[in-house]
């Protein structure tokens, strides 16, 4: 297989790493909404943690995106 | 494998990264509806966060779509 | 592998991206029904959001469909 | 790989996109029954939405079916 | 297959290891929010453990990222 062809397949495979993060970010926000509905005061307790929790989960999708771009153009 | 053939297979593989986001976005909205039913006041508490939570999850599907288009046409 | 053959396999692979959206849309509607049963007033609170929540989740299946058609005929 | 052989494998792969819809449609109807059992009045509230909710989820399986037929006969 | 081509495919495959971590980190934070909403005092009880729990889960995504980078550039 030529390297140019392998890059296309490698980049396609690299997106599979995003599967978990997509589900994970959905879980972070979904549980956040459930938490606020059960106990509105939780919004202050959680505070900035929602942003941290979301960001570190989204980061894993970015890792996979970076590998995909490195494979394509690196 | 020729590069043109690899592009077709790579783009097909790249869509697999959308699997998690599809489930994640469903989870964000599903939990939002559950939250509003349990505590209607949660609608105001959650406010714009539903849009943020949805957008950042959908973004992961867009990452995979971008990689698929880069592989096809990049 | 010839490009015509790769198109067939690439399009087949591209449908796998629909897996998450299929489950996600099911979750959106399923939770909507549960929400209405628990609190009928939630139907008005949720209002048009059910259409938005459903549409943005279905959109991810459309992304995968578009990639499949681009691979087949693009 | 000859194109005739690739069609067979591509069509086979395309059915994998139905996995999520199969589970999603099950979730729509499953939650509908749970909702009606918990609150029989929900049957009127939900009304035609059960048909819409089911149809749009089933549609994702149809997308995958269409791709499979396009790969086979397109 | 030439080694340069194998690097591209190997790096793509390596990102699959992130799937579990993406889901896991989402579960860690999602359950943290649920826990705080149910019992606000849990925030002090959990204390720094949220950071430890998150870090060791995220670490698994980093392992996969390191392998992907080692395959590409090692």
């Amino acid at each position: 297989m030529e390297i140019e062809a392998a890059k296309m397949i490698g980049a396609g495979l690299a997106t599979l790493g995003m599967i978990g993060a997509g589900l994970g970010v959905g879980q972070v926000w979904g549980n956040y909404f459930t938490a606020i509905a059960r106990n509105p005061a939780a919004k202050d307790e959680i505070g900035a943690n929602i942003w941290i929790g979301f960001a570190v989960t989204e980061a894993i999708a970015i890792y996979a995106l970076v590998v995909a771009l490195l494979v394509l153009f690196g």
Side-chain angles (χ1 to χ4, degrees), chain A:
Chain A
M1 196 186 292
E2 303 87 14
I3 180 164
E4 282 305 314
K7 276 183 179 182
M8 299 300 158
I9 291 173
L13 283 170
T15 66
L16 273 74
M18 296 173 189
I19 294 175
L23 187 43
V25 172
Q27 217 157 18
V28 167
W29 286 98
N31 282 27
Y32 180 60
F33 298 154
T34 305
I36 289 178
R38 182 177 293 169
N39 177 2
K43 199 176 173 181
D44 294 326
E45 293 281 345
I46 292 170
N49 281 339
I50 178 63
W51 302 110
I52 296 168
F54 140 63
V56 295
T57 317
E58 185 96 7
I60 296 175
I62 309 282
Y63 299 165
L65 183 62
V66 164
V67 172
L69 296 178
L70 280 176
V71 167
L72 268 183
F73 305 113

